[in-house]
Amino acid sequence: MDPDRVLEGLDPEQTQAARALRGPVCILAGAGTGKTRAITHRIAHAVASGVVSEQQILAVTFTARAAGEMRGRLRGLGAPRVQARTFHSAALRQLSFFWPQVVGGPQPTLIESKIQAVSRAANSVGVQPDRTGLRDLASEIEWAKVTQVRPTDYERTTTKQGRQTPLPAAEVARVFEAYEELRREHNLLDFESMLELTAGMITEYPAIAQRVRDQYRYFVVDEFQDVNPLQKLLLDAWLGDRDDLCVVGDPSQTIYSFAGATPGYLTGFGARYPHATVVELVRDYRSTPQVVRVANHVIAQARGTTSAKHLTLRAQRPDGPDPMYKEYDDEPAEATGVARQIAVMLEGGTPAGEIAVLVRTNSQSAAYEQALTDEGVPFTVRGTARFFERPEIKKAVHTLRGARHEVAGEESEPLVATVRQLLGPLGLTEAAPEGRQARERWESLSALAQLAEDMAATAGARGRPATMADFVDELDTRMATEHAPGFEGVTIASLHSAKGLEWDAVFLVGLTEGMMPIIYAETDEQVEEERRLFYVGVTRARESLSMSWSLSRSPGGRRTRKPSRFLDGLRPASPSTSSRRADRRKGGVSRCRVCGTSLSDAAERKLGRCLDCPSSYDEALLERLRDWRRTSAQEQKVPAYVIFTDATLQAIAEQEPSSVAQLSAVSGVGAVKLDRYGEAVLALVAGAEAADVAADGAGPGADVEESTHE
C-alpha cells in the first residue's frame, strides 16, 4: 500500500499525528475529534512505510468492543494482522502461554465477578454485608489492587488519604486479606492479579521479557487518561527501556478516578519524555457549534491540575438548534416532560435509537422508564447485564446454533422469518409485553431479530441472500468482541456508561445540586470530576441537547432544590460563574470566622474556621445529630457519611441554624439533603431527641456508578 494514500482524508492535525511514526507520541484528542481515525491511520501508515511489521504492533484499548472496532478499521486500511486488545486480553494471552514454564501445574480459574468470593471471605471473618455492601466491598478491593495497596497497608493508606470506605477500614482490610487467601487456596485469578502476575513474570524472567519484547516493539494505548497504576506497571514491563509508545487521551474526560484511574500519566507524559511529539486534535466533527459552545463553557470553568490540559474544541458541523434548558416543579413532572418531548421527536422522524436520556445514578432510571412506557416509546436500559451473558440470549444463541445444522442446504424460508419463528417460543412476540423483566427479555430477543433483518438487507443489496450459517457466524464474532446488537429504542444510560457513545439527541436530566455534582462529592477534586462527567454527557450530543432539573423530589414537596452550578452562565437568568465565586468570597465562606485567615482545606471551608481555631458548639446537639445519622444510615442501608459527613454535622452544631434558609447556607447541605433531611435536622437543633426524629424521605442509596472498562 502506498503510504501517502493512507493519509488521504485526514485533517492537518490528524495527518501530523499519523506522520509521527516513531515514539514517544502523545495525542491529546478532544471529544468527537476523530482519535480512532488518527491512530488507526498512524498504525497503517507505519506498516505501509516499513517502519514496523504488523505482527510487532500492540494496540491497547479499554473495551473489547473498542478493540474490535479498531481491528475492523485496520483491516480496511490493509493492516489485518495488528494485535488490538484490551489490557486484560493481552495479559491473559501471555500469562496462559508462559504459565507452564514459569509456574507449572493447572492454570488458575479466571473469575469475572468478585461478589461470590468476597461474600465467602467476609463471612469467614465475621462480616456480613448486604448485597449492596458486597458490591461496594468488591469495588473497594478492586481499587486497592489496581492502586497497589496491600491488605496490610490498606487501613493506614486510606486513613492517610482520607478515603471514604464502605465499612470501617479495619474491617475492609480483614475481608481483603481473607479474599486474597481464598483466591490463592482455590487457584482463582481475578483481573487485577492477572495483570500483576503478567507484569511480574516479564520483570522477573529475562528470557520471557526478551521474547515478549521481540514480539511487540510498537505500542499504542487509547484512553490513556483512564490508565491505573497496575495497568501502567504492565505497560512499563512490555516497554522495557524502549519508547516507541503512542498514547491517546483527553484529560477532560477523566471520570474514573474513584476506581483508581489517574490522568497524571497522560498530563505528565511530556515530563517523562521531554523529546515526545505532542499533537492536539480539536476539530470536533461530532457536534453542532451550539453543543460545542456548551461543552467549551463547562470545561473552561474547570480548576485543578487536570484543567491546565483542557482542549478548546472547534466545531466543524453546520449550525443546529439551540440547547434547551427546562425547569420542572418535581421529578415525576420532569420525567413526563422529557418523555413527551421524545414522543414529539419520534413523530417528527428522529429514530428512537438516536435519542438518549442520561442520568447520574441508576436509581433515576425507573422514573424515565415509566414515563416512556406511558407515552408508548420503546426504550432500552444500558449498563445492565452484558448482552450475551443474559439467560434469554444464551438460550437463543443455543437454539440458533442448533437450527444452523438443521436448515443447512435446505433453507426455503428467508432468514428473518426463520429467526423470528425460532425466537417466538422464547418470548419474541409481535408487541412488547407488560412488566419490566418481560420487556427486557423481549427487547433482547428483538435485538437479535433486528440484527437478522440488517444482515438480510445488506446481503440482499449485494445480490446474495443471507443464510442461517451467516447469521450464526456473525453472532459468534460479536460474542467474541462483546459487540451487542442494538435495539431500536431510546437509550436510558448513566453518564459513566455513556462514555464513548453518541446520539443525535441527548437529554441530560436531574441537573440539581446534590445530583450533579453528586451529594458525596465534597472535595474540590471530587467536584471537578463531576464537572468532567457533565462535560462527557454534553459531548455525547450531535445535534439536540436538552438539560433539565426539578425543584422538588415529589409533587407538592418543598421547591428548595437548586439547578446545578455547572449550568451557571448557560441557563437563562443564571448567575455567571465568576459572580458565584465572588458571592462565596463575600459571604466569608473562604475565610475563618474566628481569625480571618483564608481557608484552603475543604474541611476548614465547610466549618468556616481553621481546624485549630477555638470553636463553641453544643456537644449535646452534636451527639443528637450523630445518633440520628447512625440510626438513619442503618434504616436506609447506606454509609453514614452519605447522609452527612462529620464536618457537616459539626458545622451544623456550631452554627445552630433555626430556619431552612440558615440550614441551606451550611456547607455540605445541598438542595437534595435539605429536601430529605432538613426538617429532621431543624427539629434536632430545636432540642428534639434523635429517637423521636426520623429522616425525611429515603436515603440517596449506594448506587454510585461502578465503572469497569472490561
Side-chain angles (χ1 to χ4, degrees), residues 19 44 140 156 199 220 234 259 274 281 346 377 379 385 390 410 460 469 492 505 511 524 569 593 648 688-689 710:
R19 287 191 179 279
E140 188 68 5
R156 176 179 55 81
V220 177
L234 177 59
L281 304 184
L346 296 181
V377 174
F379 65 88
R390 298 174 188 173
E410 52 181 64
I492 301 176
L511 300 179
D524 291 342
R593 64 173 182 269
T648 299
E689 294 299 325
E710 293 291 314

Side-chain angles (χ1 to χ4, degrees), residues 18 62 64 75 118 131 156 166 260 263 310 345 383 386 446 450 464 478 494 603-604 627 649 669 680:
F62 275 84
R75 280 195 300 271
V118 170
R131 181 73 180 178
R156 176 179 55 81
H310 86 266
M345 295 181 75
R386 292 181 181 178
S446 293
Q450 183 63 51
R464 185 184 72 84
R478 285 173 174 263
S494 72
E604 291 181 333
D627 288 345
L649 290 187
V669 184

